[in-house]
Structure formats: C-alpha cells, structure tokens
Amino acid sequence: MNLREAVRAYYQAHRQEGVHPKLGPYRYTAPSERHPYQWLWDSGFHAVVLAHWDADAALVELETLFRVQGDDGFVPHMVYWPMPPVVRRVPEAERILGGDPNRLVPITWHSPVPPYAAFEADPRRSDAHSALVQPPIFGTVLLRLWELLGPSERLRALWPRALALYRWIRQHRDPDGDGLVSILQSRESGLDYSPMYDPVWQHAARRTGFLADAAPTPDTLARISDRVFVEHNADRWNLPAIFRRRVFDVEDLTVNVLMARGLWDLARVGERLGFQEAREARRWARAQEQAVLQRLWHEADQAFYSLHHPDDGEVPLRCLTVASLLPLGLPHLRDSQERALLRALRDPARFALPYPVPSVAADEPAFDPEVQPPRLIWRGPTWINMNWFLARFLAERGVRDDARRLARASLDLVQKSGFREYFHPLTGAGGGAFQFGWTGLVLDLQDLAAES
Ligand code: GLC
C-alpha cells in the first residue's frame, strides 16, 4: 500500500459523524481511538492531510469546528461531539498490551462526554466544548488549503471565521497589554507536559495550597492541574479575574509564534481573496511578530523561551524545547537569531539526534526520550506536527538541506514504526496511539523529502 492509501485507510476509520441536537451536523477525524473528540489544532492538521485526497472532507473538518464558534469569535480547544457507539476496526495493539499493531480487531468506539468536561467548560458558553484555546494555526492551514485546493466559496467563508478567532485571542488573552498572548493551562499550548512548565506547576502548587512536592509525575501534575481549574471555575471563567490571580499565566512560545505566523498567512490568503480586513490581519501579524522577536528572545542564552508571570515580574522559562525553534517560521527573524536557531538544530548534543526533532533538547536535565507508559508527554520524543512546521519553515528560508533531512527523518519514522503518536528520538521506536491523525502530515512532506 502506498503512503497515501495507508493514511486514507485510517482516516476513514477515524471519521466521526452525526447530528448534535443543538449544534447540528458534524463530521471530523478523531486523532485516534484514544482521542475520540475534536481538537482545534489537530483538526487544522487533519484538514491539510485530507486535502491530499478529499477536498470536501478537508473543508468539512474546519466547518465542523467553526460550527461551535462563539458570537464573539472564540473557538474551543476541544469539542465533545457525542458520537453514538459504532463498531470500528483498530490495531490490536491499541487495545491489548503487546498486541499486534498490524492486526485490525473490531471494537466498539464510543465518545461519551468525558468526566473532566464540566471542569474545563465555561457555563456561559456550552458544556459541549472546553473554554480553553489551542495554537491558532488556521491562517497557516487556510494558506496550505489554498495551495493544495485553490480558491473556493467555502474557503472564502472560513476566512472571516479565522480572523474573528485571532481577534478574540488578541482582545481576551493579553492581560498585560504587551502584545503577547497568555495561556492559563499548559494544554492550551498543545505541549501539555513539556518540562518548560515545571516551574509554573510548582508555583501553581504553592498558590493552590498543594502540600505534596510538585515533582512532575502524571499523578501530581494531574492533581495540581485540577486545582488550577478549581480556581478558574471559582472565577467563573472571568478571564481578567483569572489572570489577575496569576495561578497559571504563561506567555507561551508555541501559541505566540504560531499566532504570528498564522496571521501572516491569513493576511496572504485574505489579500488573494480580496478581503479589506486582510490589512488588519497584516497589522496584527507585524505587532505579534515583533512582540515575539523582542520579548521572548533571551540574549544571554541566544534562545527563545516562554515567559512566566508568577506575580508582578516575568521569568523566562529557560528550558530549550522544540518550541524554541518555531520562530524559524517568522519572516523578520534577525540573522543572528536565525544562526543561533540553526546552530541548536544542527547540534548533536541538542536537537540533531538520529530521529529529530526531539521535543526537548538532549542536553536539558529534564530530557526523557523514552516512549513507554506511564510517561508524561512532550518531554523528549519527536512529534510529526512539529517536524511539519520546521521542515516547511526551513525550506522557505532556503535552508533546504536541513528541510529535506527533517522531511526524510519524518518519513523514516513512519516507515520504521508506523503512524504512532510520537517517537523515540534515539531509536525511532513509536509511542502512544498507533494510528495518530497528525502523523499523517508525512504525506505533506513527501515532495520535500524527494528533492535531490
Ligand atoms: C495531546 C497533545 C495535544 C493534542 C491532543 C489531541 O493532548 O498534547 O497537543 O491536541 O493530544 O491529539
């Protein structure tokens, strides 16, 4: 089976479809059997993958997500579409420890509303989705859809929706007005348990009166996170109140860089479609990019970091992660900054491991490349969505050797271990889900990998 057919087969198996009593019809691709809901940035990636064989499905994926957009522009990081139980075939290994990853077995796939849903929902909105955000990548996704599918009325209809989301984030997520977006829980970055947040969790533990040592184990982090949500609920999801308390307030690299990049790409699509508001998107892109380049850059370390706001001050979270490389996607990155990022990317002691790019630099004390459970995610293994961004950013900068190497490494990983959720950066072994949605982005890296 060729790569496209392989991705298509599991995308078909992950198709979730139905009619929500209040929200109407939905159709989207679940990331995996372990992740039956719709996630914001996953859906953006899925749309790009789907565009390789089914234009309609690519657009429906986004239309479904935007169906829950608030009148104010907000789009949640998760929607709990209530799928009735259906029988699906999934890799046996997905269900049984040590099971055969190549043998498909029937299971009843069900997506009941998860128990934590109420915790993460703003009761003034809806209990059908969370009140969190995720990296707003829609500008970038729409540009890629434009490239793959060309213009259409449906793409045109999505453009103002995406703009409204960026507007909402600007208006509601910059509590100190410095041009950078704040997140109120690490899952909003998509890099859930990245060690860059360890000091933030320690601070949150102290703030919420958590007595045990806040060492990063799955159990302690889950409990601290619950306490953070208790506080957010006590504030009734009133964002200014939540940020005034500073239990969890991080100006996050992934969110801010992908927001800036998303706005640049949104402006490009908007200009081609003849939208007046494209000018606004361009203005926001410039401001957002400048805020990242100036405020998230750490001159002494020659690195980009997220900023933590524990109280009045702000503290750089000095842990080098794959997020620190994302500014390669910013058009006005300074030459000296580009050189520093390329040095880190090519350094065998940091990111240039046999199966790049590790989610944490190998010389960080917290680097943990293992993929066996029970591991906290984003603490070392390689993820294909990050490789997709980085390979494309490098290619567009003209650093084509590195871009090609990264695209090839991503395809090698899938050849070796299948469409796993993440991979051991030293051995290439897979971890997490067996057929993971955004790992299908390797399809979109094939041309780059094939360049001579
Ligand atoms: C994990 C990932 C997050 C992703 C979600 C659904 O929580 O860390 O980035 O969106 O799974 O796949």
Side-chain angles (χ1 to χ4, degrees):
M1 215 192 302
N2 70 21
L3 191 68
R4 198 176 85 160
E5 288 313 307
V7 177
R8 188 177 162 142
Y10 79 84
Y11 264 57
Q12 233 141 36
H14 292 187
R15 183 162 145 167
Q16 305 279 75
E17 198 166 8
V19 181
H20 186 281
K22 288 192 207 132
L23 303 167
Y26 62 88
R27 171 149 62 98
Y28 67 97
T29 315
S32 86
E33 192 250 329
R34 303 174 188 196
H35 307 81
Y37 310 106
Q38 185 173 27
W39 272 264
L40 187 153
W41 76 334
D42 296 71
S43 264
F45 298 128
H46 297 168
V48 171
V49 176
L50 285 162
H52 282 265
W53 68 86
D54 187 343
D56 175 59
L59 294 162
V60 169
E61 180 92 22
L62 300 181
E63 287 161 355
T64 295
L65 185 64
F66 279 106
R67 202 172 271 282
V68 300
Q69 182 167 40
D71 294 338
D72 56 357
F74 173 79
V75 178
H77 100 296
M78 264 179 97
V79 191
Y80 322 111
W81 298 107
M83 264 291 282
V86 281
V87 176
R88 295 274 172 81
R89 293 169 71 76
V90 302
E92 186 187 55
E94 201 78 85
R95 292 337 286 286
I96 311 170
L97 206 64
D100 182 349
N102 297 313
R103 191 168 160 247
L104 297 182
V105 295
I107 58 141
T108 303
W109 183 319
H110 191 24
S111 58
V113 174
Y116 53 81
F119 231 38
E120 299 187 0
D122 176 346
R124 286 165 309 179
R125 293 184 186 275
S126 162
D127 56 6
H129 61 72
S130 82
L132 306 184
V133 298
Q134 239 187 356
I137 60 171
F138 294 120
T140 306
V141 169
L142 291 185
L143 180 60
R144 191 69 190 126
L145 293 189
W146 171 290
E147 289 164 357
L148 291 167
L149 307 175
S152 66
E153 272 313 303
R154 288 169 67 192
L155 193 77
R156 205 187 154 74
L158 286 165
W159 194 88
R161 302 291 212 124
L163 183 78
L165 169 64
Y166 290 108
R167 181 182 291 117
W168 184 88
I169 296 177
R170 282 173 56 84
Q171 285 175 347
H172 298 275
R173 288 306 193 95
D174 181 9
D176 61 359
D178 67 349
L180 291 171
V181 172
S182 281
I183 60 170
L184 47 77
Q185 212 275 1
S186 62
R187 281 207 293 284
E188 295 203 297
S189 74
L191 273 53
D192 309 18
Y193 293 119
S194 171
M196 83 171 104
Y197 306 115
D198 287 354
V200 185
W201 290 119
Q202 273 162 19
H203 163 82
R206 279 194 301 275
R207 267 304 177 79
T208 57
F210 189 77
L211 293 178
D213 173 24
T217 66
D219 183 53
T220 46
L221 288 194
R223 281 157 66 193
I224 302 168
S225 168
D226 283 355
R227 284 171 170 251
V228 167
F229 279 119
V230 168
E231 303 252 339
H232 294 346
N233 279 297
D235 283 326
R236 296 175 181 279
W237 288 95
N238 174 319
L239 292 170
I242 286 176
F243 285 117
R244 263 196 307 278
R245 282 216 226 192
R246 299 223 152 144
V247 174
F248 194 113
D249 179 346
V250 174
E251 290 175 330
D252 185 77
L253 255 181
T254 308
V255 170
N256 280 283
V257 175
L258 295 181
M259 167 110 172
R261 174 64 198 219
L263 281 164
W264 281 120
D265 291 340
L266 189 77
R268 282 166 71 189
V269 180
E271 278 152 15
R272 291 179 201 179
L273 289 169
F275 279 106
Q276 279 291 321
E277 299 92 327
R279 258 188 255 143
E280 209 171 1
R282 189 164 277 276
R283 195 156 40 78
W284 295 348
R286 196 168 299 122
Q288 178 76 32
E289 182 186 24
Q290 283 312 312
V292 170
L293 294 179
Q294 286 162 18
R295 300 190 27 75
L296 300 184
W297 175 247
H298 194 286
E299 187 60 30
D301 289 7
Q302 292 285 295
F304 285 98
Y305 297 125
S306 300
L307 281 178
H308 181 207
H309 288 255
D311 288 295
D312 285 339
E314 54 186 17
V315 184
L317 294 168
R318 291 168 71 187
C319 176
L320 198 67
T321 70
V322 64
S324 300
L325 300 175
L326 288 175
L328 285 165
L330 298 180
H332 301 96
L333 186 71
R334 292 199 297 270
D335 288 350
S336 58
Q337 292 172 323
E338 179 187 76
R339 279 196 299 277
L341 266 43
L342 291 178
R343 253 196 323 273
L345 179 74
R346 293 168 181 162
D347 182 350
R350 290 184 278 175
F351 291 111
L353 302 190
Y355 294 94
V357 174
S359 41
V360 176
D363 62 353
E364 285 289 344
F367 171 68
D368 177 5
E370 294 304 328
V371 291
Q372 295 311 323
R375 280 287 189 304
L376 286 164
I377 52 178
W378 293 102
R379 299 181 79 92
T382 295
W383 294 73
I384 299 300
N385 64 333
M386 288 295 174
N387 283 7
W388 179 74
F389 279 122
L390 291 174
R392 295 179 56 79
F393 293 164
L394 289 162
E396 145 197 301
R397 279 188 175 273
V399 196
R400 294 203 87 91
D401 284 353
D402 295 83
R404 210 178 308 119
R405 209 171 302 127
L406 211 49
R408 287 184 185 160
S410 309
L411 283 148
D412 287 350
L413 279 170
V414 165
Q415 288 275 304
K416 185 179 161 70
S417 301
F419 298 95
R420 300 297 300 269
E421 189 175 347
Y422 43 83
F423 302 88
H424 195 301
L426 300 170
T427 68
F434 281 78
Q435 294 179 323
F436 191 66
W438 76 44
T439 303
L441 283 170
V442 287
L443 254 193
D444 206 44
L445 292 176
Q446 249 182 328
D447 289 351
L448 191 55
E451 274 185 5
S452 51

